[in-house]
Amino acid sequence: GQQVMQIPQYQHVQEGEDFTTYCNSSTTLSNIQWYKQRPGGHPVFLIQLVKSGEVKKQKRLTFQFGEAKKNSSLHITATQTTDVGTYFCAGSNTGKLIFGQGTTLQVKP
Amino acid sequence: DAGVTQSPTHLIKTRGQQVTLRCSPKSGHDTVSWYQQALGQGPQFIFQYYEEEERQRGNFPDRFSGHQFPNYSSELNVNALLLGDSALYLCASRGRGETEAFFGQGTRLTVV
C-alpha cells in the first residue's frame, strides 16, 4: 500500500537556527498536506500543496512539493521556541490522508 | 464555532471489553474520518464516513466499526479490545469539496 516516510525523526536546534523536514511518498500524490502537533495536542492544518513544483510560504515557513509529486519539504527559518512540536506530512490521493511518522522539533532557547 | 469535539477525552478499558467513542464535526462539515495515533507515530487512517455510509477504510480489522448519524456526528466502536488498541483516537471533519481536515482533541484510550 501507499507509504509516506519522513526524515529526520527528531531534530534539536538552537533558537535562531534553521530546520528542515523531508517527506517522501511511495506513490504519486494528488496533493500533500502539512500538519503541526504540539505536545499533548492534536494535529493542526498548516498548508496544502497541489501543483508539481509548488512553493508556498507562511512567514518563516517554506513548503515545497516536488516535481514528480512524490516528495515534499518544510523549512523553518530562524526557529523560535514556539515552533516546538511534531510536524507531519500527509499524502492524499482518494480523500484519505496517509501520514508520515513525523519529525519532532525541539528548540533550545 | 466549537470546532470538532470528541468525547470522552480519556478512557480506561479492560482487555476484551468494547468501547464507543463519539465525534461532533465542525459546523457545516459533512465528512468525518477516524484515525488511530499510537505514541510517537503518525495518525493512521481507520475509516471515513459521508452521507451515513462508510466510504473508505484503512487496514484495520472488523473489530473497528463506525456509524454516522443524520446530523453528521459519528461514533467509533471497537470490540474485543486488545492491549495494542491503546492509542489516541482522532476524529477529523471536512466540508464538501474541501481538503483541509480539522481534527478534534482526541480520545486517549488505555487498555489494561
Side-chain angles (χ1 to χ4, degrees), chain A residues 15-102:
Chain A
E15 189 173 20
E17 291 182 337
D18 292 356
F19 158 78
T20 304
T21 173
Y22 299 91
C23 179
N24 287 286
S25 170
S26 58
T27 60
T28 302
L29 301 168
S30 59
N31 67 73
I32 194 155
Q33 300 179 17
W34 284 90
Y35 290 80
K36 177 182 179 181
Q37 186 172 22
R38 295 181 185 275
H42 59 276
V44 175
F45 177 84
L46 294 177
I47 208 160
Q48 175 180 273
L49 304 171
V50 178
K51 298 177 184 176
S52 168
E54 189 170 14
V55 177
K56 285 189 176 180
K57 293 191 175 185
Q58 287 180 350
K59 298 183 181 177
R60 295 177 295 105
L61 278 62
T62 301
F63 303 84
Q64 289 189 308
F65 200 9
E67 294 291 338
K69 300 182 75 172
K70 293 179 72 174
N71 62 286
S72 182
S73 65
L74 158 60
H75 179 83
I76 302 179
T77 303
T79 55
Q80 300 174 358
T81 54
T82 53
D83 295 327
V84 163
T86 300
Y87 293 84
F88 292 100
C89 63
S92 175
N93 270 336
T94 57
K96 68 180 181 182
L97 294 173
I98 305 299
F99 281 81
Q101 63 269 48

Side-chain angles (χ1 to χ4, degrees), chain B residues 68-109:
Chain B
Q68 186 179 34
F69 299 92
N71 67 353
Y72 308 124
S73 66
S74 177
E75 288 182 348
L76 164 65
N77 302 291
V78 188
N79 294 324
L81 284 166
L82 305 173
L83 296 179
D85 294 330
S86 296
L88 179 68
Y89 287 86
L90 294 161
C91 169
S93 73
R94 61 182 175 85
R96 189 172 305 182
E98 298 176 359
T99 51
E100 177 182 345
F102 289 79
F103 282 83
Q105 82 283 10
T107 294
R108 174 72 62 188
L109 172 65

Side-chain angles (χ1 to χ4, degrees), chain B residues 26-48:
Chain B
K26 183 176 167 66
S27 178
H29 286 186
D30 58 5
T31 302
V32 173
S33 299
W34 287 91
Y35 292 83
Q36 180 195 66
Q37 186 176 25
L39 204 59
Q41 301 295 317
Q44 291 210 2
F45 177 78
I46 302 175
F47 42 53
Q48 180 185 87

